[in-house]
Amino acid sequence: MKREPDELMIDALRRAPGPVPSAELTAAVRARAVAAVRRRGLPTWINVAAALVLVVGAASWLRVAERVPEAMAPATMPPPASPSSTAPASAPGAPEAFSSEVLPAQMERAPEKTGEGPGSANTFGTPATPPVDPSQADGPASAASRAQAEVSVSPELLDSDSQRAEEAVAKKVEQSSDKLGDVRPEGHGAALDDEERAMAAQETVPSSAPLAADAPQEPFVPDPALALPAAKPAAPSAMQAPAQPSEPTPYSSTEASPPAPAAPPITQSAPAAVPAFSLAPAPSSAPEPPPQAVRELRDETRTTDALSDARFAQLRAALATGDAERAEALLDALKREVPREQWPSDLAERHWPR
Amino acid sequence: MLAYAAGDARAFDALYARFATRLLRYLTRLVSRPSVAEELFQDTWQRAIDARQRYQPTARFAAWLFRIAHHLAIDHIRREQPQVDVSVLTHLPDTSAAPLQAIEDEAQLQRLVDALDTLPAEQRAVVLLRAEGDLTLEEIAATMNTGRETIKSRLRYALAKLKEALR
């Protein structure tokens, strides 16, 4: 019974006149409520869109990043300097990317490196594959280019190069023999001794620097006595050079000193040519190039033959002109240097009877 | 409120239509200044909108909404005027002979509202939460962070004063 007056008082307060929310107030509150609901839906779409953009962008970037080295590889390839270096074949397993910073430096150093020390360059007598300075060829790109240059030399090119080298040597020999023929009868008059022969032989063989400087297409044959011994111990390391491109190679110190057994592969480019040559796919019809020692012997023999032929011709001329003194000097020299079996039969029977 | 929290904007319209007038009357009579009441009204709804994801249906929405409004109003009152010591209100007027059935005309209702303004803020809040929010004593106690008996006592004192004012 006592609660009833309290409830009547509460009901009276509820019925009492009071403020009513205005239309503006209602609109403001409802606008906030609606905006809050719309804001809640937007972040989901924004998050999804942002995630998609990120994924697509990352994928595109990765694809571009993968294609850029492929596109850059042919663009940064060194221009063909000689037919031997234009072989497009790439070494299997060699990286396709070439460093644009290393290769121009190598190309700049190519002319000055063509005539360097024994076994330092001209693996196959090709001046276009110069020795690489290790200080500039530490990266894998240089190793790859080196391997590619070594592998890309084909036997046909080698054979033509060797033939051209032989022709050049023959020309040199003729020139030198003419000079000797002009000088000896007047000066020494005697035949060549062993020392002179050795000098004449060396004059023809290691003259690759002037030859390469005058005609870069003409190869030179490295001296086997100097190149081959250094080649054998370093050949495995040269074969592993592309796999270990980051090792520093003290190239400058090995130029003057004899190569150590564990010498860097750069200095053994000539020895590395032997296993590298075996990597090249030789066609079955192509003739196999002769070994280097055989070529050396052949060149030496040809040199001697050319000298002898020249002096035999001079002897005939002296006999024909009646120059007995010159003919006698030439006969003595030829008897000492040329075995009788190698004499022309008519001259041998007439002037060197058994 | 759960429907609105799920994204249904029309659910908010239903809530607003049901509680907007009562909330504004509560705030207006509690702070006694319509402009401040409207500001607190918008703040209350904004708080409710922002806290819609955290709303738990463990209590009535009215209790949750009026609790928000009460805290905002009390904070405002405490900033505007010094704390009222309700403990001095020990005198309990006699309400047994009050002619409550006579509170029918506008004049008496206006006197009742004017008498409400004379009550201390905490007693006024209890009466208003009971009248406008239709909250139980427990809900009012939870809203004001006090005990149920305290709320009951405050309500009794407040109603006694109002009855005395209507004589």
Side-chain angles (χ1 to χ4, degrees):
Chain A
M1 292 296 291
K2 198 174 181 179
R3 289 180 60 91
E4 192 174 351
D6 295 345
E7 293 298 327
L8 290 175
M9 187 71 72
I10 297 298
D11 290 339
L13 285 174
R14 288 173 183 164
R15 285 186 281 109
V20 177
S22 63
E24 294 178 358
L25 196 60
T26 300
V29 173
R30 286 183 175 175
R32 291 183 182 181
V34 173
V37 173
R38 289 179 179 173
R39 277 200 309 268
R40 178 182 172 274
L42 284 177
T44 304
W45 287 102
I46 290 174
N47 289 335
V48 171
L52 285 174
V53 167
L54 284 176
V55 169
V56 172
S60 302
W61 186 86
L62 285 175
R63 292 187 67 180
V64 169
E66 288 176 357
R67 290 182 180 179
V68 162
E70 297 175 2
M72 291 292 291
T76 56
M77 285 277 286
S82 72
S84 61
S85 65
T86 56
S90 61
E96 295 182 357
F98 286 84
S99 173
S100 59
E101 298 175 357
V102 174
L103 291 175
Q106 295 175 2
M107 295 176 66
E108 289 176 3
R109 284 178 167 262
E112 65 189 54
K113 293 287 183 181
T114 51
E116 281 187 353
S120 63
N122 295 331
T123 302
F124 291 102
T126 54
T129 58
V132 181
D133 191 351
S135 62
Q136 299 180 358
D138 293 337
S142 61
S145 60
R146 192 166 58 245
Q148 187 179 16
E150 291 174 356
V151 173
S152 61
V153 178
S154 63
E156 294 88 348
L157 292 174
L158 281 174
D159 192 54
S160 61
D161 288 343
S162 62
Q163 289 175 359
R164 276 184 287 174
E166 290 170 358
E167 292 174 358
V169 167
K171 287 181 180 178
K172 271 285 187 183
V173 167
E174 289 179 1
Q175 292 175 0
S176 61
S177 62
D178 291 341
K179 290 177 182 177
L180 287 173
D182 294 340
V183 170
R184 279 194 187 100
E186 299 169 0
H188 304 290
L192 290 171
D193 54 7
D194 294 338
E195 204 171 324
E196 288 175 341
R197 266 193 302 167
M199 288 180 63
Q202 285 191 357
E203 186 184 6
T204 58
V205 174
S207 60
S208 58
L211 281 176
D214 297 335
Q217 302 298 327
E218 294 182 358
F220 97 108
V221 180
D223 191 353
L226 297 174
L228 287 175
K232 290 176 181 176
S237 62
M239 290 292 290
Q240 297 170 358
Q244 299 172 352
S246 61
E247 291 181 3
T249 54
Y251 180 76
S252 58
S253 62
T254 57
E255 283 183 352
S257 60
I266 297 299
T267 56
Q268 284 80 28
S269 58
V274 176
F277 173 76
S278 61
L279 293 175
S284 58
S285 61
E288 189 170 349
Q292 194 169 6
V294 175
R295 283 187 290 167
E296 292 296 329
L297 290 174
R298 185 196 302 170
D299 294 339
E300 192 172 358
T301 304
R302 290 192 180 195
T303 302
T304 306
D305 292 344
L307 288 171
S308 301
D309 292 342
R311 270 180 281 175
F312 279 123
Q314 292 173 3
L315 176 60
R316 291 180 192 276
L319 292 173
T321 57
D323 190 352
E325 187 179 358
R326 179 180 173 88
E328 190 175 355
L330 287 171
L331 280 172
D332 292 342
L334 288 169
K335 283 179 181 177
R336 283 201 305 267
E337 296 171 4
V338 182
R340 189 179 183 282
E341 291 77 14
Q342 296 181 6
W343 278 48
S345 57
D346 56 336
L347 292 177
E349 291 174 357
R350 190 179 306 167
H351 301 286
W352 197 355
R354 293 181 183 273
Chain B
M1 186 62 184
L2 293 176
Y4 173 65
D8 187 2
R10 291 175 297 180
F12 181 82
D13 294 341
L15 289 173
Y16 186 84
R18 183 176 177 182
F19 295 101
T21 302
R22 292 160 58 184
L23 183 64
L24 185 60
R25 287 159 62 100
Y26 167 76
L27 291 172
T28 302
R29 288 171 177 169
L30 186 60
V31 299
S32 303
R33 291 164 62 181
S35 61
V36 175
E38 289 186 358
E39 184 180 344
L40 294 175
F41 176 82
Q42 295 190 59
D43 291 344
T44 301
W45 283 113
Q46 187 62 51
R47 294 279 185 95
I49 292 168
D50 295 339
R52 64 189 182 279
Q53 300 293 343
R54 298 190 298 271
Y55 172 73
Q56 297 294 330
T58 56
R60 290 196 304 158
F61 175 75
W64 184 68
L65 182 66
F66 276 88
R67 184 175 184 175
I68 295 172
H70 176 74
H71 288 167
L72 289 173
I74 291 299
D75 291 342
H76 173 75
I77 291 169
R78 285 175 180 170
R79 288 194 303 267
E80 293 293 324
Q81 57 191 20
Q83 185 72 26
V84 178
D85 187 8
V86 297
S87 60
V88 299
L89 302 174
T90 55
H91 175 65
L92 184 61
D94 184 12
T95 59
S96 58
L100 294 177
Q101 278 78 11
I103 309 176
E104 294 294 338
D105 55 355
E106 294 291 330
Q108 283 185 317
L109 288 176
Q110 189 59 46
R111 284 171 59 193
L112 181 62
V113 172
D114 294 342
L116 187 65
D117 291 339
T118 62
L119 292 177
E122 292 170 340
Q123 292 183 12
R124 190 165 65 244
V126 171
V127 172
L128 290 172
L129 286 173
R130 181 73 184 91
E132 302 295 342
D134 197 17
L135 304 184
T136 64
L137 294 179
E138 289 78 10
E139 290 172 341
I140 295 171
T143 299
M144 300 183 71
N145 293 322
T146 56
R148 181 182 182 276
E149 294 302 319
T150 303
I151 297 299
K152 185 178 180 181
S153 173
R154 288 178 184 176
L155 181 60
R156 187 153 54 93
Y157 276 106
L159 291 177
K161 283 187 175 182
L162 291 176
K163 289 177 184 175
E164 188 175 1
L166 288 176
R167 283 184 185 167

